Amino acid sequence: MTTTFTTRTVEYPADGLTMIGHLALPAGAGRRPAVLIGPEGVGLNDFQRRRADALAELGYVALAFDIHGGRWFTDPQEMLARTTPLLADPDRMRGIGHAALDVLRAQPRTDPERIAAVGYGTGGAIVLELGRDGVDLRAIATVNATTTGRPGEAARIRCPVWAGVGSEDPIMPPAQRDAFTAEMQAAGVDWRLVVYGGARHAFHHPPVDQVVVPGVGYHPRHAQRAWHDIVALLAECLPVPA
């Protein structure tokens, strides 16, 4: 069953920037389970905003968080200049994630004991770092983010982890996927990896502004399947009360 929802912009400090997130609230007045949504490296745009809205329709409080202080990159080199050092610094990623999580937890509609995190690309790496930091989440879902962490820290993940990746993704190739699953397995994490056949990096995201990057491409069927898999994970681990 779907419901109506409302949205608003929220500003908060993180990583030395003023972040501009998108908060979506389900109808009603009571507390609800909540979901943090992290964007890919280009930054927060209408794609993740619509994902937050879709989750609010399902009854979740949802915050699509910002990673670039309101910027959204169309130049791949500009994006890499920002994201490459960020992805190499787990503490910076955790700082961005914790700042957004604090905003979500502070919302009066949020049940602070029932929060999950979903991340795409760079946002997926950030939510995984929250898990490795021992944050009490009910589930973590990532797309295009089979990133590994510092040795031993995956043992602090306290919830199921779902990861989706394209079979033809040159940024997350088989060796990277194997390293990620080995880390999860060694840590005793409840993990799942879905490899979407024929899909490339960012297969979930419709093309924007004719930006062409080698190894990156939209796959509509798998994009829909990945979203269904994420919603199913949330229904399993973070059901919305009737």
Side-chain angles (χ1 to χ4, degrees), residues 17-20 44 49 66-72:
L17 302 168
T18 298
M19 300 299 187
I20 305 171
L44 178 60
R49 294 185 187 101
D66 186 8
I67 58 175
H68 300 318
R71 290 198 65 187
W72 183 73

Short mmCIF file of all heavy atoms in Angstrom, two decimals, residues 17-20 44 49 66-72:
data_model
loop_
_atom_site.label_atom_id
_atom_site.label_comp_id
_atom_site.label_asym_id
_atom_site.label_seq_id
_atom_site.Cartn_x
_atom_site.Cartn_y
_atom_site.Cartn_z
N LEU A 17 31.86 21.46 4.25
CA LEU A 17 30.91 22.02 3.30
C LEU A 17 29.53 22.14 3.93
O LEU A 17 29.25 21.53 4.96
CB LEU A 17 30.80 21.11 2.06
CG LEU A 17 32.08 20.85 1.28
CD1 LEU A 17 31.86 19.72 0.28
CD2 LEU A 17 32.56 22.10 0.57
N THR A 18 28.65 22.91 3.28
CA THR A 18 27.24 22.92 3.64
C THR A 18 26.52 21.97 2.72
O THR A 18 26.39 22.21 1.52
CB THR A 18 26.64 24.33 3.51
OG1 THR A 18 27.31 25.22 4.41
CG2 THR A 18 25.16 24.31 3.86
N MET A 19 26.10 20.85 3.27
CA MET A 19 25.42 19.84 2.47
C MET A 19 23.94 20.19 2.35
O MET A 19 23.35 20.78 3.26
CB MET A 19 25.58 18.47 3.11
CG MET A 19 27.02 18.01 3.24
SD MET A 19 27.87 17.87 1.64
CE MET A 19 29.42 17.12 2.15
N ILE A 20 23.36 19.79 1.21
CA ILE A 20 21.95 20.08 0.93
C ILE A 20 21.26 18.77 0.61
O ILE A 20 21.35 18.25 -0.50
CB ILE A 20 21.81 21.08 -0.24
CG1 ILE A 20 22.61 22.35 0.05
CG2 ILE A 20 20.34 21.40 -0.48
CD1 ILE A 20 22.71 23.31 -1.12
N LEU A 44 24.33 14.39 -5.54
CA LEU A 44 22.89 14.24 -5.36
C LEU A 44 22.14 14.93 -6.48
O LEU A 44 22.37 16.10 -6.77
CB LEU A 44 22.49 14.85 -4.00
CG LEU A 44 21.01 14.83 -3.65
CD1 LEU A 44 20.47 13.41 -3.61
CD2 LEU A 44 20.78 15.53 -2.32
N ARG A 49 16.65 11.78 -5.31
CA ARG A 49 15.48 12.44 -4.71
C ARG A 49 14.22 11.63 -4.99
O ARG A 49 13.38 11.45 -4.11
CB ARG A 49 15.36 13.87 -5.24
CG ARG A 49 16.50 14.79 -4.82
CD ARG A 49 16.25 16.22 -5.27
NE ARG A 49 17.41 17.06 -5.00
CZ ARG A 49 18.31 17.42 -5.91
NH1 ARG A 49 18.18 17.03 -7.17
NH2 ARG A 49 19.34 18.18 -5.57
N ASP A 66 23.76 14.48 0.66
CA ASP A 66 24.65 15.20 -0.25
C ASP A 66 26.09 14.80 0.05
O ASP A 66 26.43 14.48 1.19
CB ASP A 66 24.43 16.71 -0.03
CG ASP A 66 25.17 17.59 -1.01
OD1 ASP A 66 25.74 17.08 -1.99
OD2 ASP A 66 25.20 18.81 -0.78
N ILE A 67 26.95 14.82 -0.97
CA ILE A 67 28.37 14.54 -0.73
C ILE A 67 29.29 15.63 -1.27
O ILE A 67 30.49 15.58 -1.00
CB ILE A 67 28.78 13.18 -1.34
CG1 ILE A 67 28.52 13.13 -2.85
CG2 ILE A 67 28.06 12.03 -0.63
CD1 ILE A 67 29.02 11.84 -3.52
N HIS A 68 28.75 16.61 -1.98
CA HIS A 68 29.59 17.64 -2.61
C HIS A 68 29.17 19.07 -2.27
O HIS A 68 29.50 19.99 -3.02
CB HIS A 68 29.59 17.48 -4.13
CG HIS A 68 30.10 16.17 -4.64
ND1 HIS A 68 31.21 15.54 -4.13
CD2 HIS A 68 29.62 15.35 -5.63
CE1 HIS A 68 31.41 14.40 -4.79
NE2 HIS A 68 30.46 14.26 -5.70
N GLY A 69 28.43 19.28 -1.20
CA GLY A 69 28.05 20.65 -0.85
C GLY A 69 27.14 21.29 -1.88
O GLY A 69 27.32 22.47 -2.23
N GLY A 70 26.18 20.52 -2.39
CA GLY A 70 25.22 21.06 -3.34
C GLY A 70 25.64 20.97 -4.79
O GLY A 70 24.86 21.27 -5.69
N ARG A 71 26.87 20.53 -5.05
CA ARG A 71 27.34 20.43 -6.44
C ARG A 71 26.95 19.09 -7.05
O ARG A 71 26.81 18.09 -6.35
CB ARG A 71 28.87 20.57 -6.50
CG ARG A 71 29.39 21.96 -6.19
CD ARG A 71 30.81 22.11 -6.71
NE ARG A 71 30.87 22.02 -8.17
CZ ARG A 71 32.02 22.00 -8.85
NH1 ARG A 71 33.18 22.03 -8.22
NH2 ARG A 71 32.01 21.92 -10.18
N TRP A 72 26.78 19.12 -8.35
CA TRP A 72 26.53 17.92 -9.13
C TRP A 72 27.40 18.00 -10.37
O TRP A 72 27.35 18.98 -11.13
CB TRP A 72 25.05 17.83 -9.51
CG TRP A 72 24.70 16.59 -10.26
CD1 TRP A 72 24.62 15.33 -9.76
CD2 TRP A 72 24.42 16.49 -11.65
NE1 TRP A 72 24.30 14.43 -10.74
CE2 TRP A 72 24.16 15.12 -11.92
CE3 TRP A 72 24.35 17.40 -12.70
CZ2 TRP A 72 23.85 14.66 -13.19
CZ3 TRP A 72 24.03 16.94 -13.96
CH2 TRP A 72 23.77 15.58 -14.20
#
